[in-house]
Amino acid sequence: MDCLFCKIISGDIPSAKVYEDELVYAFKDINPMAPVHVLIVPKQHLSSMNDITEENSALIAHIFVVASKLAKELGIDESGYRVVSNCGADAGQTVFHLHFHLLGGHKLNVEMC
Ligand code: AMP
Ligand code: ZN
């Protein structure tokens, strides 16, 4: 499959890895919007939030456990952070492999839409 994040997960395209386990891969965003900007992605190819179902909900829950853990490790748990997933054209999704942006390290824009 011609998917950028599948190629990053497989190592065919290099990335700055932050975390990996059997289900999840996390790496620094190449165009950071904040001092901490990490992308957390399931190793399983899901295209977007639209592919989330009861069947894969444990995987999605695990991603949020990882997000909380990484926020602590990256030192933004006390200062605050945001987890975002863009879905589809109106949200500006550019890579169609489900991913969650972990953003923090400075005061984030309060306007979310
Ligand atoms: P989205 O716009 O929500 O689909 O997010 C896609 C994100 O992937 C953007 O923030 C990009 O900067 C990021 N991105 C694209 N290519 C790479 C890459 N090769 N390595 C790391 N991040 C990337
Ligand atoms: Zn993929």
Short mmCIF file of all heavy atoms in Angstrom, two decimals, residues 54-102:
data_model
loop_
_atom_site.label_atom_id
_atom_site.label_comp_id
_atom_site.label_asym_id
_atom_site.label_seq_id
_atom_site.Cartn_x
_atom_site.Cartn_y
_atom_site.Cartn_z
N GLU A 54 -16.02 -0.62 17.30
CA GLU A 54 -15.96 -1.38 18.57
C GLU A 54 -14.81 -2.38 18.51
O GLU A 54 -14.12 -2.59 19.50
CB GLU A 54 -17.28 -2.13 18.81
CG GLU A 54 -18.40 -1.26 19.32
CD GLU A 54 -18.14 -0.66 20.69
OE1 GLU A 54 -17.34 -1.22 21.47
OE2 GLU A 54 -18.71 0.41 20.96
N GLU A 55 -14.61 -2.99 17.35
CA GLU A 55 -13.62 -4.06 17.21
C GLU A 55 -12.19 -3.56 17.45
O GLU A 55 -11.35 -4.28 17.98
CB GLU A 55 -13.71 -4.71 15.83
CG GLU A 55 -14.90 -5.64 15.64
CD GLU A 55 -16.25 -4.94 15.71
OE1 GLU A 55 -16.37 -3.81 15.18
OE2 GLU A 55 -17.19 -5.49 16.31
N ASN A 56 -11.88 -2.33 17.03
CA ASN A 56 -10.51 -1.83 17.24
C ASN A 56 -10.44 -0.80 18.38
O ASN A 56 -9.43 -0.12 18.53
CB ASN A 56 -9.90 -1.29 15.93
CG ASN A 56 -10.73 -0.18 15.32
OD1 ASN A 56 -11.33 0.62 16.03
ND2 ASN A 56 -10.77 -0.11 14.00
N SER A 57 -11.48 -0.75 19.21
CA SER A 57 -11.51 0.30 20.24
C SER A 57 -10.44 0.10 21.31
O SER A 57 -9.99 1.08 21.92
CB SER A 57 -12.90 0.39 20.86
OG SER A 57 -13.27 -0.84 21.42
N ALA A 58 -10.01 -1.14 21.55
CA ALA A 58 -8.94 -1.36 22.54
C ALA A 58 -7.64 -0.75 22.05
O ALA A 58 -6.85 -0.20 22.84
CB ALA A 58 -8.77 -2.85 22.81
N LEU A 59 -7.41 -0.85 20.74
CA LEU A 59 -6.22 -0.22 20.15
C LEU A 59 -6.27 1.30 20.32
O LEU A 59 -5.25 1.92 20.68
CB LEU A 59 -6.15 -0.59 18.66
CG LEU A 59 -5.15 0.17 17.79
CD1 LEU A 59 -3.72 -0.06 18.27
CD2 LEU A 59 -5.30 -0.24 16.33
N ILE A 60 -7.42 1.87 20.10
CA ILE A 60 -7.55 3.33 20.23
C ILE A 60 -7.35 3.75 21.69
O ILE A 60 -6.67 4.75 21.97
CB ILE A 60 -8.93 3.79 19.70
CG1 ILE A 60 -9.15 3.29 18.26
CG2 ILE A 60 -9.07 5.30 19.80
CD1 ILE A 60 -8.06 3.67 17.27
N ALA A 61 -7.90 2.97 22.61
CA ALA A 61 -7.69 3.26 24.03
C ALA A 61 -6.20 3.19 24.36
O ALA A 61 -5.67 4.04 25.10
CB ALA A 61 -8.47 2.27 24.89
N HIS A 62 -5.52 2.20 23.80
CA HIS A 62 -4.08 2.06 24.05
C HIS A 62 -3.31 3.28 23.54
O HIS A 62 -2.37 3.74 24.21
CB HIS A 62 -3.57 0.78 23.37
CG HIS A 62 -2.10 0.57 23.53
ND1 HIS A 62 -1.51 0.31 24.75
CD2 HIS A 62 -1.09 0.64 22.63
CE1 HIS A 62 -0.20 0.19 24.58
NE2 HIS A 62 0.08 0.40 23.31
N ILE A 63 -3.72 3.82 22.41
CA ILE A 63 -3.05 5.02 21.88
C ILE A 63 -3.14 6.16 22.89
O ILE A 63 -2.16 6.90 23.11
CB ILE A 63 -3.68 5.42 20.53
CG1 ILE A 63 -3.26 4.41 19.45
CG2 ILE A 63 -3.28 6.84 20.13
CD1 ILE A 63 -3.96 4.60 18.12
N PHE A 64 -4.27 6.28 23.57
CA PHE A 64 -4.41 7.37 24.55
C PHE A 64 -3.61 7.10 25.82
O PHE A 64 -3.13 8.04 26.45
CB PHE A 64 -5.90 7.64 24.81
CG PHE A 64 -6.51 8.50 23.75
CD1 PHE A 64 -6.98 7.94 22.57
CD2 PHE A 64 -6.56 9.88 23.88
CE1 PHE A 64 -7.50 8.72 21.55
CE2 PHE A 64 -7.08 10.67 22.86
CZ PHE A 64 -7.55 10.10 21.70
N VAL A 65 -3.45 5.83 26.17
CA VAL A 65 -2.56 5.49 27.29
C VAL A 65 -1.13 5.91 26.93
O VAL A 65 -0.41 6.52 27.74
CB VAL A 65 -2.62 3.99 27.62
CG1 VAL A 65 -1.57 3.63 28.66
CG2 VAL A 65 -4.02 3.61 28.11
N VAL A 66 -0.73 5.62 25.69
CA VAL A 66 0.62 6.01 25.22
C VAL A 66 0.75 7.54 25.21
O VAL A 66 1.77 8.08 25.62
CB VAL A 66 0.89 5.41 23.82
CG1 VAL A 66 2.15 6.01 23.21
CG2 VAL A 66 1.01 3.90 23.91
N ALA A 67 -0.29 8.23 24.76
CA ALA A 67 -0.24 9.71 24.72
C ALA A 67 -0.01 10.26 26.13
O ALA A 67 0.82 11.17 26.33
CB ALA A 67 -1.53 10.26 24.12
N SER A 68 -0.72 9.73 27.10
CA SER A 68 -0.57 10.20 28.48
C SER A 68 0.84 9.90 29.00
O SER A 68 1.47 10.75 29.65
CB SER A 68 -1.63 9.51 29.35
OG SER A 68 -1.48 9.87 30.69
N LYS A 69 1.34 8.71 28.69
CA LYS A 69 2.69 8.33 29.12
C LYS A 69 3.73 9.22 28.47
O LYS A 69 4.67 9.69 29.12
CB LYS A 69 2.92 6.85 28.73
CG LYS A 69 4.08 6.20 29.43
CD LYS A 69 4.34 4.77 28.96
CE LYS A 69 3.14 3.88 28.92
NZ LYS A 69 3.47 2.47 28.60
N LEU A 70 3.60 9.46 27.17
CA LEU A 70 4.59 10.30 26.46
C LEU A 70 4.55 11.74 26.97
O LEU A 70 5.59 12.39 27.08
CB LEU A 70 4.34 10.27 24.95
CG LEU A 70 4.68 8.95 24.25
CD1 LEU A 70 4.41 9.07 22.75
CD2 LEU A 70 6.12 8.56 24.50
N ALA A 71 3.35 12.24 27.28
CA ALA A 71 3.26 13.61 27.82
C ALA A 71 4.08 13.72 29.09
O ALA A 71 4.79 14.72 29.30
CB ALA A 71 1.80 13.97 28.06
N LYS A 72 4.02 12.71 29.93
CA LYS A 72 4.83 12.72 31.17
C LYS A 72 6.31 12.65 30.83
O LYS A 72 7.12 13.43 31.36
CB LYS A 72 4.43 11.56 32.08
CG LYS A 72 3.02 11.68 32.65
CD LYS A 72 2.68 10.50 33.54
CE LYS A 72 1.25 10.62 34.07
NZ LYS A 72 0.22 10.35 33.04
N GLU A 73 6.68 11.72 29.96
CA GLU A 73 8.10 11.55 29.61
C GLU A 73 8.67 12.80 28.94
O GLU A 73 9.85 13.12 29.11
CB GLU A 73 8.26 10.35 28.66
CG GLU A 73 8.11 9.01 29.37
CD GLU A 73 8.21 7.83 28.41
OE1 GLU A 73 8.68 8.03 27.26
OE2 GLU A 73 7.81 6.74 28.82
N LEU A 74 7.86 13.50 28.19
CA LEU A 74 8.33 14.69 27.46
C LEU A 74 8.19 15.96 28.30
O LEU A 74 8.52 17.06 27.84
CB LEU A 74 7.57 14.82 26.14
CG LEU A 74 7.81 13.66 25.15
CD1 LEU A 74 6.81 13.71 24.00
CD2 LEU A 74 9.24 13.69 24.63
N GLY A 75 7.67 15.81 29.53
CA GLY A 75 7.66 16.92 30.49
C GLY A 75 6.59 17.97 30.24
O GLY A 75 6.75 19.12 30.64
N ILE A 76 5.48 17.55 29.60
CA ILE A 76 4.41 18.52 29.34
C ILE A 76 3.12 18.19 30.08
O ILE A 76 2.10 18.84 29.87
CB ILE A 76 4.14 18.67 27.82
CG1 ILE A 76 3.78 17.32 27.19
CG2 ILE A 76 5.33 19.31 27.12
CD1 ILE A 76 3.30 17.42 25.74
N ASP A 77 3.17 17.17 30.94
CA ASP A 77 1.94 16.75 31.62
C ASP A 77 1.45 17.83 32.59
O ASP A 77 0.24 18.03 32.74
CB ASP A 77 2.12 15.41 32.35
CG ASP A 77 3.29 15.42 33.32
OD1 ASP A 77 4.33 16.01 33.00
OD2 ASP A 77 3.14 14.84 34.41
N GLU A 78 2.36 18.54 33.24
CA GLU A 78 1.95 19.58 34.19
C GLU A 78 1.61 20.89 33.48
O GLU A 78 0.65 21.57 33.84
CB GLU A 78 3.06 19.82 35.23
CG GLU A 78 3.36 18.61 36.11
CD GLU A 78 2.21 18.25 37.05
OE1 GLU A 78 1.38 19.14 37.34
OE2 GLU A 78 2.13 17.09 37.46
N SER A 79 2.39 21.24 32.45
CA SER A 79 2.16 22.51 31.74
C SER A 79 0.93 22.44 30.84
O SER A 79 0.27 23.46 30.60
CB SER A 79 3.41 22.89 30.94
OG SER A 79 3.82 21.83 30.11
N GLY A 80 0.63 21.26 30.33
CA GLY A 80 -0.56 21.07 29.51
C GLY A 80 -0.23 20.70 28.08
O GLY A 80 0.87 20.98 27.58
N TYR A 81 -1.19 20.09 27.45
CA TYR A 81 -0.99 19.63 26.07
C TYR A 81 -2.33 19.36 25.42
O TYR A 81 -3.38 19.40 26.07
CB TYR A 81 -0.10 18.37 26.03
CG TYR A 81 -0.62 17.19 26.82
CD1 TYR A 81 -1.37 16.21 26.20
CD2 TYR A 81 -0.36 17.07 28.18
CE1 TYR A 81 -1.84 15.13 26.91
CE2 TYR A 81 -0.82 15.98 28.91
CZ TYR A 81 -1.56 15.01 28.26
OH TYR A 81 -2.04 13.93 28.97
N ARG A 82 -2.29 19.07 24.13
CA ARG A 82 -3.50 18.78 23.37
C ARG A 82 -3.25 17.56 22.49
O ARG A 82 -2.14 17.41 21.95
CB ARG A 82 -3.84 20.01 22.49
CG ARG A 82 -5.14 19.89 21.70
CD ARG A 82 -5.45 21.22 21.02
NE ARG A 82 -5.78 22.26 21.99
CZ ARG A 82 -5.60 23.57 21.80
NH1 ARG A 82 -5.08 24.01 20.66
NH2 ARG A 82 -5.92 24.44 22.73
N VAL A 83 -4.26 16.71 22.35
CA VAL A 83 -4.19 15.57 21.43
C VAL A 83 -5.27 15.80 20.37
O VAL A 83 -6.44 16.02 20.70
CB VAL A 83 -4.43 14.24 22.16
CG1 VAL A 83 -4.41 13.07 21.18
CG2 VAL A 83 -3.38 14.04 23.26
N VAL A 84 -4.84 15.75 19.10
CA VAL A 84 -5.72 16.12 17.99
C VAL A 84 -5.64 15.06 16.90
O VAL A 84 -4.55 14.57 16.58
CB VAL A 84 -5.29 17.47 17.36
CG1 VAL A 84 -6.16 17.81 16.15
CG2 VAL A 84 -5.33 18.59 18.38
N SER A 85 -6.79 14.72 16.31
CA SER A 85 -6.79 13.91 15.10
C SER A 85 -7.65 14.61 14.05
O SER A 85 -8.84 14.83 14.26
CB SER A 85 -7.34 12.51 15.39
OG SER A 85 -7.19 11.69 14.24
N ASN A 86 -7.03 14.97 12.94
CA ASN A 86 -7.76 15.59 11.84
C ASN A 86 -8.39 14.49 10.99
O ASN A 86 -7.71 13.53 10.61
CB ASN A 86 -6.81 16.43 10.98
CG ASN A 86 -6.23 17.61 11.74
OD1 ASN A 86 -6.95 18.28 12.47
ND2 ASN A 86 -4.94 17.85 11.60
N CYS A 87 -9.67 14.64 10.69
CA CYS A 87 -10.39 13.64 9.89
C CYS A 87 -11.03 14.32 8.68
O CYS A 87 -11.96 15.13 8.84
CB CYS A 87 -11.45 12.94 10.74
SG CYS A 87 -12.37 11.69 9.83
N GLY A 88 -10.50 14.00 7.51
CA GLY A 88 -11.14 14.46 6.28
C GLY A 88 -10.79 15.88 5.86
O GLY A 88 -9.99 16.57 6.51
N ALA A 89 -11.41 16.29 4.78
CA ALA A 89 -11.04 17.54 4.11
C ALA A 89 -11.25 18.78 4.97
O ALA A 89 -10.38 19.65 5.05
CB ALA A 89 -11.84 17.66 2.81
N ASP A 90 -12.39 18.86 5.63
CA ASP A 90 -12.66 20.07 6.42
C ASP A 90 -11.69 20.24 7.58
O ASP A 90 -11.46 21.36 8.04
CB ASP A 90 -14.11 20.06 6.94
CG ASP A 90 -15.12 20.54 5.89
OD1 ASP A 90 -14.69 20.88 4.77
OD2 ASP A 90 -16.33 20.56 6.21
N ALA A 91 -11.16 19.14 8.07
CA ALA A 91 -10.19 19.20 9.18
C ALA A 91 -8.76 19.34 8.67
O ALA A 91 -7.82 19.49 9.48
CB ALA A 91 -10.32 17.97 10.07
N GLY A 92 -8.56 19.23 7.36
CA GLY A 92 -7.22 19.39 6.79
C GLY A 92 -6.36 18.16 6.90
O GLY A 92 -5.13 18.26 6.89
N GLN A 93 -6.97 16.98 6.97
CA GLN A 93 -6.16 15.75 7.02
C GLN A 93 -5.36 15.62 5.73
O GLN A 93 -5.93 15.72 4.63
CB GLN A 93 -7.06 14.52 7.21
CG GLN A 93 -6.28 13.22 7.36
CD GLN A 93 -7.16 12.00 7.60
OE1 GLN A 93 -8.39 12.10 7.59
NE2 GLN A 93 -6.53 10.86 7.83
N THR A 94 -4.06 15.40 5.86
CA THR A 94 -3.20 15.28 4.68
C THR A 94 -2.62 13.88 4.52
O THR A 94 -2.24 13.49 3.41
CB THR A 94 -2.03 16.29 4.74
OG1 THR A 94 -1.27 16.06 5.92
CG2 THR A 94 -2.54 17.72 4.71
N VAL A 95 -2.51 13.13 5.62
CA VAL A 95 -2.00 11.76 5.55
C VAL A 95 -3.12 10.83 6.00
O VAL A 95 -3.60 10.93 7.14
CB VAL A 95 -0.75 11.58 6.44
CG1 VAL A 95 -0.27 10.14 6.38
CG2 VAL A 95 0.37 12.53 6.02
N PHE A 96 -3.49 9.92 5.10
CA PHE A 96 -4.67 9.09 5.36
C PHE A 96 -4.28 7.75 5.98
O PHE A 96 -4.62 6.68 5.48
CB PHE A 96 -5.52 8.98 4.09
CG PHE A 96 -6.30 10.26 3.89
CD1 PHE A 96 -5.69 11.37 3.31
CD2 PHE A 96 -7.59 10.40 4.37
CE1 PHE A 96 -6.38 12.57 3.17
CE2 PHE A 96 -8.28 11.60 4.25
CZ PHE A 96 -7.67 12.69 3.65
N HIS A 97 -3.53 7.87 7.07
CA HIS A 97 -3.26 6.78 8.01
C HIS A 97 -3.54 7.41 9.37
O HIS A 97 -2.89 8.40 9.74
CB HIS A 97 -1.81 6.29 7.88
CG HIS A 97 -1.42 5.18 8.81
ND1 HIS A 97 -0.82 4.02 8.37
CD2 HIS A 97 -1.51 5.06 10.16
CE1 HIS A 97 -0.57 3.23 9.40
NE2 HIS A 97 -0.98 3.85 10.51
N LEU A 98 -4.51 6.86 10.09
CA LEU A 98 -4.96 7.45 11.36
C LEU A 98 -3.76 7.85 12.24
O LEU A 98 -2.82 7.07 12.41
CB LEU A 98 -5.82 6.44 12.13
CG LEU A 98 -6.32 6.88 13.50
CD1 LEU A 98 -7.27 8.06 13.41
CD2 LEU A 98 -6.99 5.70 14.21
N HIS A 99 -3.79 9.07 12.75
CA HIS A 99 -2.71 9.53 13.64
C HIS A 99 -3.26 10.57 14.59
O HIS A 99 -4.24 11.26 14.31
CB HIS A 99 -1.54 10.10 12.83
CG HIS A 99 -1.93 11.18 11.86
ND1 HIS A 99 -2.49 10.91 10.63
CD2 HIS A 99 -1.85 12.53 11.94
CE1 HIS A 99 -2.73 12.03 9.99
NE2 HIS A 99 -2.37 13.05 10.77
N PHE A 100 -2.58 10.67 15.72
CA PHE A 100 -2.95 11.62 16.77
C PHE A 100 -1.75 12.54 17.01
O PHE A 100 -0.65 12.07 17.28
CB PHE A 100 -3.35 10.87 18.04
CG PHE A 100 -4.61 10.06 17.85
CD1 PHE A 100 -4.55 8.78 17.30
CD2 PHE A 100 -5.85 10.59 18.17
CE1 PHE A 100 -5.71 8.04 17.09
CE2 PHE A 100 -7.02 9.85 17.96
CZ PHE A 100 -6.95 8.58 17.43
N HIS A 101 -2.00 13.84 16.88
CA HIS A 101 -0.96 14.84 17.17
C HIS A 101 -0.93 15.07 18.68
O HIS A 101 -1.97 15.38 19.27
CB HIS A 101 -1.29 16.17 16.49
CG HIS A 101 -1.38 16.12 14.99
ND1 HIS A 101 -0.39 16.60 14.16
CD2 HIS A 101 -2.37 15.67 14.16
CE1 HIS A 101 -0.76 16.45 12.90
NE2 HIS A 101 -1.96 15.90 12.88
N LEU A 102 0.25 14.95 19.28
CA LEU A 102 0.47 15.32 20.68
C LEU A 102 1.25 16.63 20.66
O LEU A 102 2.39 16.68 20.18
CB LEU A 102 1.25 14.23 21.41
CG LEU A 102 1.72 14.54 22.83
CD1 LEU A 102 0.54 14.77 23.78
CD2 LEU A 102 2.60 13.39 23.36
#
